[in-house]
Amino acid sequence: MRVLGEDALVVFVSDCHIGGDPGCDGFEAAEELTQLVEDISTHEGPVELVLAGDFLDLLLVGEPVGGGDRAGFVLGRPEYERLFEALRRFSRSRARHLVYLPGNHDAEVWWNEKARGSLEEGIGVDEFALSYLVGLRGRDGERYTVYCEHGDQFDPPNRVDDYSSPLSTPLGFHIVRDFERRIVPLGRISRNLDLSEMRDVRPLSAIPQWMSSKYFYNVLGSITGKLMLPFMLLYLFYRAAAFFSTVSDDAPRIFYKAYLLVPRVDAAIKDVVFFVSITLLLFAALVLLLGRTLRRFVSAMHEVNTDSGVGPSQEQRIDELVVQGRRPPMLDRDVPHIDAFVSGHTHTPDLRVLDRHDGRRTIVANSGCWLRWLTPIRAWLKGPPVFVPTFMLTHVRVFVRGTRLRVELWQHPKPTALQLTRLERLATFGKRPRQPAPGAKPRLLGAAETFADVGAVGRGFGEG
C-alpha cells in the first residue's frame, strides 16, 4: 500500500455519467467539473484524483462505427474538450496522479483494452483499478487508511460480478441499455411530459408518482386553458349581454342582477359549472389515489425486502461491513482497519461516522454525483407533489490536518431553469428551494475528523 505525506490531498469524484446517444446524455456540469480540476491543481502538495466509477456512461452509447470504442467516441465530443484538456494537464503535472475506477455504467473500461487506451490518451489516466487503497501519514507518524470502490457490489440488481467479462451484465445493465437508451430519446411526448427527465427523478421509486403528477398538472392545465378560461370569458359576455338587453329607461342599471331576467340561460350555465367541477374533482381524486397507491406499493416492497434481510440499502450494507471489520468486496488484500471508506453509485451525497467492533471509528462518505435531480416538493392543498430540478454536484476531499484525518463533502452550486407550468409554480409557491446565484462558489456541506488513537469527531452531512 502506498503511503502519502501529510501535505497530500485525495479527491473523489463519481457518477458524472458523461456520454450517451443523442438525447441520452444527462451531463450538464462540464464547466463546474473543469473548475474543480483546475482548483485542486493549485494544491501545493501531492494530489490524487480518483474517478470513482461511472465517470463515463457507456451503457447509453450505441455500437461505435469504424472499429472505434465507446470511450473514444465520448472523449471526442467537442463540448467536453475543455474538461478533458484540464484532466490531461492535471495528469501531466508534477506530483499529480489520476486514478480511474470503473463502475457498472463504464465496466467496459476494465475488459476493453481499446477503451483504456482511449482514456490514457484522452484524459491522461495514470492507473486503472477496481478499488483504491492508500495510506496517509500524519505529522507525528500517524497512519490512516483510505479506501474507495464504486459501490455497485452493495447493490445486487446492478452488481457487476466479473469486471473482466463482457458477459457479466446485471439487471440494471439491461434496463439502461435496452429500455432507457430507447425511451429517453423520445423526449417530450406532451406539453408537460418529457421522458428524458425520467433519468433525473430521485428517488427512483418516485418515478410512478412523477408520471402521475405530470399527467395531473398537464390535464388540469389543458382544462383550465382550453375550457375554463374560454368559459369564463363567455360567461362575462353573457352577463354583459343580459345587462344591455334587459335594461330600459324605467329599470335600474344593476349589472350583477341583470342575469336574473334570463333564468333558463342562468340555469344552463350552473349545470355546466357543476358538471365540470365534479369531473375535475373525480379526476383529481383518481390521480391522487393512483399516485399514492403506487408510491405505497414501492415503499412497502422496499420495507419488506429490508426487514427480511433480502434487500438492505447500499448504505446499510456498507455500514454493516465497516462495523464488523470485514474486507470490502473489491479489495484484494486484508488490511488492519479502514479509517475512511468512500463510495458512489447511489448519487446521494452522504457523510457519517461509524463505531467499529475494535473500538476505532471509520468515516464513511458517498461522493454523490454530477447530475441534475428532480426532487418532489409538497404542493398546497395536498395536491400531487411537483418535481423541481436541482443540480447535485458534489465531491469528497480527504487529507491529514496535523495529526487528524479529515474528510470533507463539497458541493458546487449551479442554478437550473425551472421548467414548470403555471399551475406547478402556483401549487408550490413559497415551497420551492431557492436557486443558487450564478457563479456561486463551492461550499462545504459537511466534515468529519478521526484520530489515530481516540476516535472521530466532526459534523456529518445534514447534521447541525
Side-chain angles (χ1 to χ4, degrees):
M1 178 174 64
R2 294 183 300 112
V3 179
L4 304 177
E6 62 175 307
D7 59 342
L9 171 66
V10 185
V11 179
F12 298 91
V13 172
S14 70
D15 297 279
C16 299
H17 289 269
I18 303 174
D21 290 341
C24 291
D25 193 346
F27 181 65
E28 306 174 56
E31 181 179 351
E32 288 74 19
L33 188 52
T34 302
Q35 292 174 354
L36 170 62
V37 175
E38 293 175 346
D39 174 61
I40 63 177
S41 297
T42 63
H43 182 73
E44 294 183 359
V47 181
E48 303 223 342
L49 174 58
V50 183
L51 303 178
D54 292 351
F55 178 72
L56 304 181
D57 199 326
L58 303 184
L59 297 186
L60 293 176
V61 180
E63 194 67 28
V65 296
D69 63 279
R70 292 184 175 89
F73 172 78
V74 176
L75 295 174
R77 298 272 293 270
E79 60 267 39
Y80 304 136
E81 174 57 30
R82 183 165 172 260
L83 168 61
F84 298 149
E85 175 59 31
L87 288 168
R88 288 194 294 269
R89 287 197 307 269
F90 171 87
S91 177
R92 294 167 185 166
S93 301
R94 178 177 174 274
R96 302 293 183 258
H97 195 66
L98 181 59
V99 182
Y100 195 104
L101 308 184
N104 53 305
H105 281 247
D106 55 0
E108 178 179 341
V109 169
W110 190 251
W111 56 259
N112 190 331
E113 186 176 350
K114 284 187 177 180
R116 293 199 302 273
S118 296
L119 286 164
E120 289 173 346
E121 180 180 354
I123 62 175
V125 173
D126 297 304
E127 177 186 353
F128 293 95
L130 294 177
S131 63
Y132 176 82
L133 182 69
V134 72
L136 292 180
R137 187 173 57 250
R139 182 182 58 196
D140 297 335
E142 302 86 356
R143 181 174 295 185
Y144 299 97
T145 303
V146 179
Y147 176 78
C148 175
E149 64 178 73
H150 176 57
D152 62 288
Q153 300 300 301
F154 302 96
D155 180 16
N158 292 289
R159 180 176 59 218
V160 179
D161 293 320
D162 184 3
Y163 269 88
S164 63
S165 172
L167 300 180
S168 184
T169 55
L171 175 62
F173 173 97
H174 298 282
I175 292 176
V176 176
R177 175 63 62 84
D178 303 326
F179 177 75
E180 182 179 339
R181 191 167 66 91
R182 289 169 171 79
I183 294 297
V184 168
L186 296 177
R188 191 174 299 277
I189 62 175
S190 67
R191 184 175 63 90
N192 193 34
L193 181 58
D194 190 345
L195 291 180
S196 65
E197 294 182 344
M198 184 185 301
R199 64 184 174 223
D200 302 328
V201 177
R202 290 292 181 274
L204 295 178
S205 59
I207 288 180
Q209 194 177 27
W210 168 75
M211 296 190 69
S212 64
S213 171
K214 284 295 184 181
Y215 185 71
F216 173 82
Y217 289 108
N218 190 16
V219 172
L220 189 61
S222 298
I223 292 176
T224 303
K226 297 179 181 179
L227 179 62
M228 297 300 292
L229 185 58
F231 183 81
M232 291 176 61
L233 293 176
L234 181 62
Y235 181 67
L236 289 175
F237 175 77
Y238 150 70
R239 294 287 294 268
F243 171 72
F244 287 111
S245 64
T246 57
V247 72
S248 65
D249 293 335
D250 299 329
R253 295 175 179 266
I254 305 176
F255 183 80
Y256 67 90
K257 288 186 176 181
Y259 72 94
L260 296 176
L261 301 178
V262 195
R264 292 184 178 179
V265 176
D266 182 67
I269 290 177
K270 289 180 178 179
D271 288 341
V272 171
V273 170
F274 178 78
F275 173 77
V276 172
S277 300
I278 292 298
T279 302
L280 288 176
L281 288 175
L282 291 175
F283 170 74
L286 177 62
V287 171
L288 287 173
L289 178 62
L290 289 176
R292 291 182 179 180
T293 300
L294 287 172
R295 182 183 60 188
R296 289 175 180 175
F297 173 76
V298 173
S299 299
M301 290 300 295
H302 175 72
E303 291 174 1
V304 168
N305 289 338
T306 300
D307 294 339
S308 63
V310 176
S313 66
Q314 174 177 324
E315 290 79 7
Q316 292 171 324
R317 293 175 187 270
I318 291 178
D319 290 354
E320 181 182 359
L321 179 145
V322 169
V323 169
Q324 297 179 0
R326 302 201 313 267
R327 186 170 71 181
M330 303 304 286
L331 185 59
D332 58 359
R333 73 193 80 170
D334 291 322
V335 294
H337 58 268
I338 295 175
D339 297 293
F341 190 117
V342 183
S343 66
H345 184 63
T346 65
H347 298 186
T348 305
D350 192 22
L351 184 64
R352 57 194 185 275
V353 179
L354 301 178
D355 294 311
R356 303 201 306 266
H357 283 173
D358 61 3
R360 297 173 65 96
R361 290 185 173 182
T362 296
I363 303 173
V364 179
N366 190 300
S367 51
C369 67
W370 286 73
L371 298 172
R372 189 168 65 106
W373 278 20
L374 286 174
T375 53
I377 302 297
R378 289 181 178 271
W380 292 107
L381 303 178
K382 296 185 178 181
V386 176
F387 285 75
V388 177
T390 56
F391 278 105
M392 187 59 64
L393 314 180
T394 55
H395 73 276
V396 168
R397 300 187 181 201
V398 181
F399 56 95
V400 172
R401 173 181 288 179
T403 60
R404 306 176 182 182
L405 180 71
R406 182 174 176 86
V407 180
E408 297 180 343
L409 179 63
W410 286 79
Q411 181 184 34
H412 294 247
K414 178 182 175 69
T416 180
L418 294 179
Q419 298 177 347
L420 304 176
T421 64
R422 293 185 180 90
L423 283 177
E424 288 175 323
R425 292 175 182 269
L426 182 62
T428 56
F429 180 78
K431 292 189 173 186
R432 296 188 299 271
R434 181 177 299 178
Q435 290 289 325
K441 295 182 179 180
R443 63 191 185 99
L444 182 66
L445 292 180
E449 294 182 346
T450 184
F451 299 86
D453 56 346
V454 178
V457 297
R459 178 173 59 86
F461 174 52
E463 299 177 1

